[in-house]
Amino acid sequence: MVFGIKLNSYTGEGYVSGGSPIMGSVYFDINKEVSADDLVAVLYGEEYTRVKYTRTENESDQSSTTGRYYETSARKLVQMTIPINASGLIQNGKVLPGDYVIPFEIQLPPGLPSTMSVTHDESTCEIRYSLKAQLKGSGWISDYKCKQPLRVQGSPLPIDQVPYQGPPTESTVNLCCCWNTGSLLFGAHVNDTLLDRGQSDVSINLACRNRSTTDIKSITANLMQRMKWSANGKHENQTITLTKFDFGTAMQGFKKTSKAERGFHDNGNDLKEIARDLEEGKYTGTVQLPYSASDTFKGNLIEVKHYITVVVATGSCVTDPTITVPVQVGPPRLGGTVVAAPAAAPPAEPNIDFNFAGATTAETVVVSSNAAHLGGNAQAADDDDADVFVQPEISFESRAPSVENLLKDLKESVKDHEFLSNRISESGEWKAIIVSLSPSNYGKLVKEVDLDFDQPKVAEMVAEEIENFTCDHVVAAIGTCSDWNKASVVKKLLPLTKDLAANKEKILGSLSDWDKTVTDSAFKSALAA
């Protein structure tokens, strides 16, 4: 008996894009009658992790042995049942000899993370997808089964920019570890922290006020990728440098200050000047992101972070001032400036001789993206999923509408923005809960957003639905969003705040001097509207 799954939906790069249809078929070549109760098929995606660790055990007072052990875990990302009507195939508990084809078309939901696999010192983390089929009741010991791996590329990054406007760093510059030669105020700004894989024009704006008598030796930027994964309480990580750039030092403001000038500067004015220089992009460097970079991802078991570290080397007895800029890497957007993507072959199909043209072909089974069950909790897994088949009769119970359950569902969701957008589009109790969110619960919701880069747009989208959105809501969001995102979140929320004129001081009291500086124009615009 030949039993397999054929796919014909791959792009030239060997991937199926998130949000697009998958077309293929389940096929059989049966040369003798086979018993069967049903034919089930499912598309399944998961986070999968395997961590190697060592453990020493004492055998006696004088001897011990150290062994290698492994823990594995998995967490469901997506499950879609293919509802095959097997009545034309299975009759009276039997499948008669012949060639059979059941075509299918599955609409992938948007927002799925891209396929990835990394191995480090025998530990592995994967985001993997596959199509599986099982002829239930077909074997004495085990049923006939087949599986076809599926390469998925996530949806392109959003078009809207997410800037980095974090505060500058100030360091005291000492000579020979003893003599204070002044201070160095240094800032970095990235206009858009959303980076296309392969992007060739990643711009970094710099600004500096060197109030020391020491020259800067070098200014470098490193684009880093850090992966962390866990399995049943065991952990592994890997950090690599994706690319590096040297800015040079021939920039105004980076030159040392004379002893006579050291005492004549206003720190508040320096902040304003640095904010202006960064906004105008007065001093800019450009780096290229390799196409081979993994996508940024934060799941229950796997986290992939990307960041740019900008380092100012003074050569003095002080830790070099460093600014870390978080960035998000994802599939290229249309019209982006990227290097050519490497060609990738689709997963190999079974090497078979099957007569598709002469087979009995059933009606195409169409599966809507609305049929997808997304997200789940992490749990222990088998070391290999080859014999793990998820049955479609598994029930998926929806939680009753409440603020607590909204936050639980958000925590388990795969793509937070899409999940909340769907909740908002629903009429009834879920919409009523979002409309009436208190400042405290609004802050909790912003905190549960997995990726920092999504916090501003999620905060704005939900704020637009809240009937009486106030300064207290903004303060709650400031308290739970990431530090580097506070200014971006405030800029999104100010135009939606109903009591801004009366209570703006509540918001200002929650901001640092730097955040007040970079949001000043946003306050003026919102108050004038």
Side-chain angles (χ1 to χ4, degrees):
M1 175 177 174
V2 174
F3 183 19
I5 298 173
K6 175 180 172 60
L7 296 174
N8 50 16
S9 297
Y10 283 105
T11 67
E13 296 177 15
Y15 289 88
V16 176
S17 299
S20 64
I22 302 172
M23 288 169 284
S25 55
V26 180
Y27 59 87
F28 300 84
D29 180 359
I30 299 176
N31 52 26
K32 66 178 181 178
E33 188 177 89
V34 174
S35 298
D37 300 323
D38 198 6
L39 173 63
V40 295
V42 67
L43 182 150
Y44 195 76
E46 65 181 354
E47 295 177 66
Y48 172 82
T49 55
R50 180 174 186 260
V51 175
K52 184 196 82 171
Y53 65 100
T54 58
R55 186 172 67 212
T56 300
E57 297 180 350
N58 295 325
E59 296 182 339
S60 66
D61 292 341
Q62 288 78 33
S63 65
S64 62
T65 59
T66 300
R68 291 185 298 178
Y69 301 88
Y70 301 88
E71 291 287 351
T72 56
S73 291
R75 177 227 178 183
K76 183 191 73 180
L77 293 171
V78 61
Q79 179 172 332
M80 300 180 74
T81 297
I82 305 173
I84 295 173
N85 182 356
S87 60
L89 174 68
I90 303 172
Q91 298 179 7
N92 300 320
K94 303 288 184 182
V95 182
L96 299 178
D99 293 340
Y100 302 92
V101 174
I102 300 100
F104 58 78
E105 181 177 328
I106 306 171
Q107 185 72 34
L108 274 182
L112 293 177
S114 297
T115 299
M116 62 152 285
S117 179
V118 170
T119 299
H120 176 62
D121 190 25
E122 296 184 59
S123 295
T124 300
C125 67
E126 296 181 64
I127 296 174
R128 61 191 188 184
Y129 301 87
S130 60
L131 285 154
K132 306 176 182 181
Q134 177 177 353
L135 195 59
K136 295 182 67 176
S138 60
W140 288 100
I141 299 175
S142 63
D143 293 337
Y144 287 108
K145 304 171 185 176
C146 63
K147 182 177 78 168
Q148 178 64 39
L150 180 69
R151 284 188 183 142
V152 172
Q153 175 162 275
S155 302
L157 292 168
I159 296 175
D160 293 340
Q161 294 185 344
V162 179
Y164 172 83
Q165 295 179 311
T169 180
E170 185 170 19
S171 301
T172 300
V173 182
N174 294 325
L175 183 62
C176 297
C177 305
C178 300
W179 291 281
N180 183 341
T181 66
S183 63
L184 185 121
L185 187 65
F186 161 62
H189 183 183
V190 174
N191 290 327
D192 189 8
T193 56
L194 307 184
L195 308 183
D196 299 332
R197 258 189 283 120
Q199 186 171 331
S200 59
D201 57 353
V202 180
S203 295
I204 307 167
N205 299 342
L206 301 181
C208 182
R209 293 297 178 269
N210 186 358
R211 304 304 186 186
S212 77
T213 57
T214 301
D215 278 324
I216 291 173
K217 306 301 181 185
S218 67
I219 305 169
T220 56
N222 297 295
L223 206 166
M224 311 294 296
Q225 175 174 284
R226 179 171 175 78
M227 294 185 171
K228 298 189 296 182
W229 62 96
S230 62
N232 290 336
K234 303 300 180 182
H235 304 274
E236 187 57 273
N237 66 82
Q238 180 192 60
T239 302
I240 59 174
T241 300
L242 296 173
T243 190
K244 185 175 181 178
F245 179 79
D246 188 346
F247 286 91
T249 57
M251 292 180 278
Q252 185 180 353
F254 289 76
K255 295 298 182 181
K256 65 182 180 181
T257 302
S258 68
K259 291 183 179 179
E261 296 172 323
R262 271 188 56 190
F264 298 97
H265 71 275
D266 179 353
N267 195 58
N269 190 56
D270 282 348
L271 282 179
K272 293 179 181 177
E273 289 181 355
I274 281 185
R276 184 196 63 220
D277 288 353
L278 292 174
E279 185 68 26
E280 295 175 355
K282 197 169 184 180
Y283 309 110
T284 300
T286 301
V287 299
Q288 179 174 302
L289 173 63
Y291 198 91
S292 58
S294 297
D295 291 351
T296 303
F297 174 73
K298 186 176 181 181
N300 285 13
L301 298 172
I302 302 170
E303 182 175 18
V304 184
K305 282 187 173 181
H306 296 89
Y307 52 93
I308 299 170
T309 57
V310 185
V311 182
V312 177
T314 63
S316 300
C317 297
V318 65
T319 301
D320 292 331
T322 302
I323 289 180
T324 300
V325 180
V327 294
Q328 179 181 359
V329 174
R333 291 162 281 194
L334 291 176
T337 306
V338 299
V339 296
E349 294 181 10
N351 185 19
I352 61 166
D353 181 13
F354 185 82
N355 182 17
F356 281 90
T360 300
T361 302
E363 184 177 347
T364 300
V365 180
V366 178
V367 185
S368 165
S369 60
N370 294 330
H373 297 279
L374 299 170
N377 293 314
Q379 51 191 280
D382 293 335
D383 200 43
D384 189 339
D385 81 334
D387 294 324
V388 179
F389 279 77
V390 181
Q391 305 301 339
E393 56 263 34
I394 289 178
S395 62
F396 298 90
E397 295 184 3
S398 298
R399 294 186 172 107
S402 69
V403 172
E404 292 74 17
N405 286 338
L406 177 68
L407 296 175
K408 287 179 182 178
D409 287 346
L410 179 60
K411 188 177 184 67
E412 295 176 7
S413 70
V414 175
K415 195 71 172 177
D416 296 334
H417 183 269
E418 280 77 3
F419 164 76
L420 287 169
S421 178
N422 290 335
R423 280 283 189 258
I424 288 171
S425 66
E426 296 175 8
S427 59
E429 294 180 85
W430 283 117
K431 179 68 176 287
I433 286 167
I434 292 172
V435 166
S436 59
L437 279 174
S438 67
S440 174
N441 288 328
Y442 176 72
K444 291 176 182 177
L445 183 146
V446 172
K447 184 178 181 180
E448 285 296 341
V449 176
D450 285 334
L451 291 178
D452 295 349
F453 312 92
D454 289 340
Q455 287 178 336
K457 66 179 181 179
V458 167
E460 180 185 32
M461 177 179 66
V462 176
E464 290 174 340
E465 303 299 324
I466 296 176
E467 282 183 342
N468 186 30
F469 189 79
T470 67
C471 290
D472 290 332
H473 287 87
V474 181
V475 171
I478 292 171
T480 56
C481 72
S482 61
D483 288 341
W484 69 270
N485 240 343
K486 294 185 188 298
S488 295
V489 168
V490 169
K491 288 179 179 180
K492 293 281 190 183
L493 299 183
L494 289 180
L496 304 172
T497 308
K498 292 180 169 58
D499 63 340
L500 184 61
N503 294 313
K504 67 177 182 179
E505 294 302 325
K506 290 184 178 181
I507 301 174
L508 290 169
S510 301
L511 297 177
S512 67
D513 289 343
W514 173 256
D515 287 331
K516 290 176 186 176
T517 300
V518 297
T519 59
D520 182 62
S521 61
F523 271 96
K524 290 176 180 177
S525 296
L527 290 167

